[in-house]
C-alpha cells in the first residue's frame, strides 16, 4: 500500500504515465475533470498533455483505457492545440481501440475520430483510417468498414 501513497502525490500528467495502471486510471480521471474545467481553449495547461493524449487511447489496461478515451475526447473537444495530436491519436484508435471487444471503447474511438473531423482535421483522420484498412488484423478492417459511413467526407 506504500506505493499508492507515493503515486497519489504526483501531478496529473505524471500519474498518466505511471507504470501502475491504477495510477494511470486516477490520472485519466483527474485529467478528465481538469479538461472539463478549463474554460480558456488557449490555456497553457493544454500544452502539458500534447505528448500524452496518444497514451490515453492506447493504454494497455482496458479499464484505464476507457477513462483515457473519455479524457482524450474532452481534450480534443476543448483544447485549441488538439489538432496537433490528430495523426498519432487516430492511429492509436485504429490500432488499439477498434480491434477490441468493448463496445464502449469502440464508441468513444468513433467519437474521437468524429471530433477531429469537426475541428477540421478530416484529411488526417481519413488517411489514418485508410492505413488501418491495410492492417492484417481482420477485426480492425471489419470495424473500419462498418464505421466508414460515419467518416465520409463531403466537399
Amino acid at each position: 500500500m506504500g506505493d499508492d501513497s507515493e503515486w497519489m502525490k504526483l501531478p496529473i500528467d505524471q500519474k498518466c504515465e505511471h507504470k501502475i495502471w491504477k495510477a494511470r486510471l486516477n490520472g485519466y480521471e483527474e485529467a478528465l475533470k481538469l479538461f472539463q474545467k478549463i474554460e480558456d481553449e488557449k490555456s497553457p495547461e493544454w500544452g502539458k498533455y500534447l505528448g500524452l493524449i496518444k497514451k490515453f487511447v492506447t493504454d494497455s489496461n482496458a479499464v484505464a483505457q476507457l477513462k483515457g478515451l473519455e479524457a482524450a475526447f474532452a481534450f480534443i473537444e476543448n483544447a485549441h492545440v488538439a489538432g496537433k495530436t490528430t495523426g498519432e491519436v487516430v492511429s492509436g484508435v485504429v490500432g488499439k481501440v477498434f480491434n477490441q471487444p468493448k463496445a464502449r471503447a469502440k464508441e468513444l474511438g468513433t467519437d474521437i475520430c468524429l471530433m477531429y473531423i469537426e475541428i477540421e482535421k478530416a484529411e488526417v483522420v481519413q488517411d489514418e483510417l485508410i492505413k488501418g484498412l491495410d492492417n492484417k488484423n481482420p477485426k480492425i478492417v471489419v470495424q473500419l468498414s462498418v464505421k466508414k459511413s460515419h467518416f465520409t467526407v463531403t466537399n
Side-chain angles (χ1 to χ4, degrees), residues 9 23 54 73 93-94 100 104 116 122 128 143 154:
K9 296 174 187 172
K54 180 179 181 179
F73 181 78
V93 167
V94 170
Q100 64 168 276
R104 179 70 178 138
Y116 277 123
E128 292 302 323
Q143 180 66 26
T154 56

Side-chain angles (χ1 to χ4, degrees), residues 76-143:
I76 298 158
E77 187 175 39
N78 295 307
H80 82 289
V81 294
K84 295 178 179 181
T85 63
T86 309
E88 65 185 12
V89 172
V90 174
S91 172
V93 167
V94 170
K96 291 269 301 198
V97 177
F98 286 160
N99 67 344
Q100 64 168 276
K102 290 193 180 276
R104 179 70 178 138
K106 291 177 189 178
E107 180 183 321
L108 285 165
T110 300
D111 290 346
I112 286 170
C113 291
L114 291 172
M115 184 53 66
Y116 277 123
I117 290 170
E118 191 172 312
I119 65 169
E120 300 181 7
K121 293 295 181 181
E123 285 184 33
V124 179
V125 172
Q126 188 174 0
D127 290 347
E128 292 302 323
L129 291 173
I130 289 170
K131 287 179 194 173
L133 289 171
D134 292 336
N135 195 307
K136 301 296 183 207
N137 185 335
K139 288 181 180 179
I140 294 174
V141 175
V142 169
Q143 180 66 26

